[in-house]
Amino acid sequence: MSAAGTPIRDLDTPSVLVDLDRLEANIARAAAFAREHGISLRPHCKTHKVAEIARMQLAAGAVGLTVAKLGEAEAMADHGFGDIFVANQIVGPIKVRRAVALARRVRLSIGIDHIDQAVALGAAFRAEGSELPVHIEIDTGQRRAGVLPGAAAVELAEAVSRVDGVRLDGVFTHQGHDYLVPSRDEVRAVALTAQDAMVATAEAIRAELGTGCRVSIGSTPSLIDGALRAGVDELRVGAYVYLDASMANVVGHHDWCALTVLSTVVNRPTAARAVLDAGGRALSRDRRGAGTVLGTPGYGHVVEYPEMVIDRLSDEHAVIDNAGAGVAIGEKVRIIPNHAGGVSNLFDHVFAVRAGVVEDVWRVVARGRNR
Amino acid sequence: MSAAGTPIRDLDTPSVLVDLDRLEANIARAAAFAREHGISLRPHCKTHKVAEIARMQLAAGAVGLTVAKLGEAEAMADHGFGDIFVANQIVGPIKVRRAVALARRVRLSIGIDHIDQAVALGAAFRAEGSELPVHIEIDTGQRRAGVLPGAAAVELAEAVSRVDGVRLDGVFTHQGHDYLVPSRDEVRAVALTAQDAMVATAEAIRAELGTGCRVSIGSTPSLIDGALRAGVDELRVGAYVYLDASMANVVGHHDWCALTVLSTVVNRPTAARAVLDAGGRALSRDRRGAGTVLGTPGYGHVVEYPEMVIDRLSDEHAVIDNAGAGVAIGEKVRIIPNHAGGVSNLFDHVFAVRAGVVEDVWRVVARGRNR
């Protein structure tokens, strides 16, 4: 795929455009934040799944990568990355074998939230004559994975400390419930409450076990707000590289949004309706916490016509019911999706553009690596 | 990828399983319906995007394939299929050039709903010394693409008949608003109303132009109900091959559902909650008309625990809040997704299984071919 030098208006649609000026600024902004506060930045690659972007993040000072799946970790290892944290639970003999194989190639660490996971991993790594660093996932309010902060986490940490083959390195959380709160002030409150619970839990584990225990937090909305307590060691943010339409609600504008989906108007069936060639299979159907601080009207922000609302998506169509007369069949528009990470997983390539011209085409190397 | 002979319980997760007995029965059932009623069946490949399944559909009597995108058509042409209808509008010089190139390889036909589309295609095919068969899309109530039945369609047909390089072959509709009605009786009513409008419109076009005009309809819910008016020539259904959880509402049971997502329980954070390793990136976030005849509780039907509801999805997790005590970490379950076609587009391979054992691994050759 050679498209360097092509003006974006001459690209076929739907295509994913990544604005390099904005991407670089987003990467630099988070890196500066981490540097200023003396914490590590370990960006989550699930947002982009692109080796070139991960390299830019490391070049800006990131200490390593975060991924959601072993398959993503394997893809990134294949592209030369050497320090990867799987912020998820690894369950079952097939995945345990894959983890052992991967740990021969990279500095791998993995999340756990139940002693059974640690026991299975420990047995495999002990047989390998090796030791896997693990991090206990803490549920700071998202109600997904993780043990509760405080006593439950300390109890699990004690149990893990007795398992050969694994070594407890720290605690981590994804305070993703900040996507659902009704105001930016509450984003900040969620972040600080979660950080307080994490720092206290790590202190309790250190006191109980007499070991170190690092504190890692995630979620981009909190980063945008800059909320940070002393005692946090590491920031695992992902969405900050692209800052999609939902994140624009927290930022307050769309000027930092780096990813757009280029789309063509293919129908004008009525004076009010326009149909674009980017449906659920290009934009994803993500609404990201509709009705709250990150909620968005419709299925994406149309850059050229910000008043337009994408009311409905089918697989290959976006339907706009308030298009007005000014949009013609054949016209191309850019859509900032609600959830850029969902878009990344639908495309094999993205176009890296600057000032409206393609500089490079990047393969989404971890697309679909969901095992 | 060689997995033949593997019991499904030994597969890594999340994986897509296609039950061959059910798939074959679904294909045979629709083929028999078309044969009994003397109409053509031109299945929509967007549901599966798999060459092996398209071959099974043709072997059962299908006259050709339907696709949503030129990219899907190109992928299917690469796998030897020779008669392909793109049930969508082709707009812009890049796609017109691709259509010309593709028509050198296969019998291609394309949908239109505006004279500008026909003029652009006609100019390119005339320059090629060729003629493209086109079909006018009719909006029978879905309010997406298409012109209204009756006078608007006849007017467009007349205009198209004066364009060299294209030849009007028929009219087509996707009566997809049957996904949103509140009862199975209304599914039937939508289908018959749409068919009446299509047949009348085709008759008006024939009378006005003195030419033939074939009538093609789509949408699986109507097929399940068997609603069919005289004068319909062709059935373009897609979802019938897999019959997902939404379609099960119309069928009345899950026994025909051919596609499942095999998933592992990775967390049991509380007595009530279970977390599976199949999130939005494995199941898609599709609800398919929630609250209506096709609406489903949650994000998929768990085969082994039908009372469970998948309340929430994040990218890589499904969260069940009513799991009860009986489900253990490491246990594998099969999920019938709400929208099987959305799942197909997320995976590079599916496992073809019979009686719980893998027979073959099929590549999803048109995955992501959304241009």
Side-chain angles (χ1 to χ4, degrees):
Chain A
M1 235 174 160
S2 171
T6 305
I8 61 173
R9 293 296 163 200
D10 293 342
L11 293 175
D12 203 356
T13 62
S15 286
V16 176
L17 313 179
V18 176
D19 185 285
L20 286 167
D21 289 335
R22 293 182 177 193
L23 179 75
E24 289 164 5
N26 293 344
I27 290 172
R29 200 180 301 113
F33 177 84
R35 202 163 46 238
E36 281 160 22
H37 292 86
I39 61 173
S40 301
L41 179 64
R42 183 179 287 276
H44 207 311
C45 293
K46 60 177 257 189
T47 304
H48 56 75
K49 295 174 173 258
V50 170
E52 287 84 350
I53 296 178
R55 275 184 215 116
M56 292 166 69
Q57 291 172 315
L58 288 175
V63 298
L65 303 180
T66 303
V67 297
K69 291 280 177 157
L70 266 183
E72 293 175 355
E74 290 162 343
M76 287 298 171
D78 290 343
H79 285 80
F81 298 94
D83 188 332
I84 305 177
F85 172 51
V86 181
N88 207 341
Q89 284 68 38
I90 296 306
V91 171
I94 301 173
K95 285 200 172 59
V96 169
R97 282 196 298 273
R98 289 169 58 200
V100 168
L102 183 58
R104 292 180 195 139
R105 298 201 280 154
V106 303
R107 188 196 173 280
L108 180 70
S109 54
I110 290 180
I112 60 162
D113 69 353
H114 193 282
I115 187 62
D116 290 355
Q117 301 149 359
V119 167
L121 286 165
F125 278 83
R126 197 173 57 243
E128 179 80 0
S130 163
E131 194 177 56
L132 175 73
V134 295
H135 301 250
I136 292 177
E137 181 159 7
I138 308 293
D139 178 5
T140 51
Q142 196 192 20
R143 298 186 304 117
R144 189 177 68 186
V147 294
L148 292 178
V154 174
E155 189 185 339
L156 179 55
E158 285 179 321
V160 170
S161 73
R162 291 191 293 270
V163 177
D164 287 338
V166 296
R167 181 185 74 242
L168 180 63
D169 258 15
V171 289
F172 76 104
T173 193
H174 172 53
Q175 66 277 20
H177 49 303
D178 60 1
Y179 282 63
L180 301 170
V181 298
S183 72
R184 183 163 164 168
D185 281 350
E186 294 198 39
V187 170
R188 184 176 179 82
V190 164
L192 294 176
T193 303
Q195 292 172 30
D196 287 341
M198 292 295 288
V199 171
T201 297
E203 279 168 5
I205 290 173
R206 284 182 211 115
E208 188 70 25
L209 299 181
T211 63
C213 182
R214 288 171 57 78
V215 174
S216 175
I217 61 165
S219 197
T220 290
S222 314
L223 169 70
I224 293 170
D225 200 64
L228 190 69
R229 289 284 201 236
V232 171
D233 298 298
E234 182 180 89
L235 195 58
R236 300 177 342 277
V237 282
Y240 81 100
V241 282
Y242 285 154
L243 289 174
D244 47 37
S246 294
M247 298 298 163
N249 288 345
V250 185
V251 174
H253 56 76
H254 292 89
D255 298 346
W256 294 353
C257 296
L259 181 144
T260 55
V261 176
L262 187 70
S263 177
T264 299
V265 179
V266 288
N267 313 76
R268 285 308 316 270
T270 71
R273 197 190 314 153
V275 181
L276 309 178
D277 66 354
R281 293 187 180 183
L283 297 173
S284 88
R285 291 185 187 271
D286 220 307
R287 297 300 298 269
R288 302 225 86 162
T292 67
V293 66
L294 287 166
T296 50
Y299 289 94
H301 175 84
V302 183
V303 175
E304 290 80 3
Y305 299 95
E307 72 286 0
M308 281 187 192
V309 176
I310 299 176
D311 301 278
R312 291 169 277 143
L313 291 184
S314 39
D315 287 337
E316 313 291 0
H317 301 79
V319 180
I320 294 168
D321 280 332
N322 70 335
V327 187
I329 288 181
E331 192 170 338
K332 289 178 182 173
V333 297
R334 283 167 296 163
I335 304 166
I336 300 171
N338 290 340
H339 180 196
V343 172
S344 297
N345 194 49
L346 294 167
F347 284 81
D348 292 326
H349 296 89
V350 299
F351 293 93
V353 306
R354 199 184 306 270
V357 176
V358 176
E359 283 199 2
D360 207 349
V361 185
W362 292 335
R363 199 173 144 232
V364 186
V365 293
R367 190 216 64 74
R369 298 298 295 265
N370 61 4
R371 275 197 275 269
Chain B
M1 232 174 163
S2 171
T6 305
I8 62 173
R9 294 294 163 200
D10 293 342
L11 293 175
D12 204 355
T13 61
S15 286
V16 176
L17 313 180
V18 176
D19 186 284
L20 285 167
D21 289 335
R22 293 181 178 196
L23 179 75
E24 290 164 4
N26 293 344
I27 290 172
R29 200 180 300 112
F33 178 83
R35 203 164 44 238
E36 281 160 22
H37 292 85
I39 60 173
S40 301
L41 180 63
R42 183 181 286 277
H44 207 313
C45 292
K46 60 178 258 188
T47 303
H48 56 75
K49 295 173 173 263
V50 170
E52 286 84 350
I53 296 178
R55 274 184 215 118
M56 292 166 69
Q57 292 172 315
L58 289 175
V63 298
L65 303 180
T66 303
V67 297
K69 291 279 177 157
L70 267 181
E72 293 175 354
E74 290 161 346
M76 287 299 171
D78 290 345
H79 286 80
F81 298 94
D83 188 332
I84 306 177
F85 172 51
V86 181
N88 207 341
Q89 283 68 38
I90 295 306
V91 170
I94 301 173
K95 285 201 172 61
V96 169
R97 282 196 297 273
R98 288 170 57 201
V100 167
L102 183 58
R104 292 179 194 139
R105 298 201 281 155
V106 303
R107 187 196 174 281
L108 180 70
S109 52
I110 290 180
I112 61 162
D113 69 352
H114 193 284
I115 187 63
D116 290 357
Q117 300 150 359
V119 167
L121 287 164
F125 278 82
R126 198 171 57 243
E128 181 81 359
S130 162
E131 194 177 55
L132 175 73
V134 295
H135 300 249
I136 292 178
E137 181 160 5
I138 309 291
D139 178 4
T140 51
Q142 196 192 20
R143 299 186 305 116
R144 190 176 69 185
V147 294
L148 294 178
V154 174
E155 188 186 341
L156 178 56
E158 284 179 321
V160 170
S161 73
R162 291 190 295 270
V163 177
D164 287 340
V166 296
R167 180 185 74 241
L168 180 63
D169 259 15
V171 289
F172 77 104
T173 193
H174 172 53
Q175 66 278 20
H177 49 304
D178 61 1
Y179 282 63
L180 301 170
V181 298
S183 73
R184 183 164 164 169
D185 282 349
E186 295 200 37
V187 169
R188 184 178 178 81
V190 163
L192 294 177
T193 302
Q195 292 173 28
D196 287 341
M198 291 295 288
V199 171
T201 297
E203 279 168 5
I205 290 173
R206 284 182 212 115
E208 188 69 27
L209 299 181
T211 64
C213 182
R214 285 171 58 80
V215 173
S216 174
I217 61 165
S219 198
T220 290
S222 313
L223 169 71
I224 293 169
D225 200 63
L228 190 68
R229 290 282 201 238
V232 170
D233 299 299
E234 183 180 89
L235 195 59
R236 300 178 341 279
V237 282
Y240 80 99
V241 282
Y242 285 153
L243 289 175
D244 47 37
S246 293
M247 298 299 162
N249 287 346
V250 184
V251 175
H253 56 76
H254 292 88
D255 299 346
W256 295 354
C257 296
L259 180 145
T260 54
V261 176
L262 187 71
S263 178
T264 299
V265 178
V266 288
N267 314 75
R268 287 306 317 269
T270 71
R273 196 190 314 153
V275 182
L276 309 178
D277 67 355
R281 293 186 179 183
L283 296 173
S284 88
R285 290 184 187 272
D286 219 306
R287 297 299 298 268
R288 303 225 87 162
T292 68
V293 66
L294 287 165
T296 49
Y299 289 94
H301 175 84
V302 183
V303 174
E304 289 79 3
Y305 299 95
E307 73 287 0
M308 282 188 192
V309 176
I310 300 176
D311 300 279
R312 291 168 277 143
L313 291 184
S314 39
D315 286 337
E316 313 290 0
H317 300 79
V319 180
I320 293 168
D321 280 332
N322 70 336
V327 186
I329 288 181
E331 191 170 341
K332 290 177 183 173
V333 297
R334 285 166 295 163
I335 303 165
I336 300 172
N338 291 339
H339 180 194
V343 172
S344 297
N345 194 50
L346 293 168
F347 284 80
D348 291 327
H349 297 89
V350 300
F351 293 94
V353 306
R354 199 184 307 269
V357 176
V358 175
E359 283 199 2
D360 207 349
V361 185
W362 292 336
R363 200 174 143 229
V364 186
V365 294
R367 190 216 64 76
R369 298 299 294 266
N370 62 4
R371 275 197 276 268

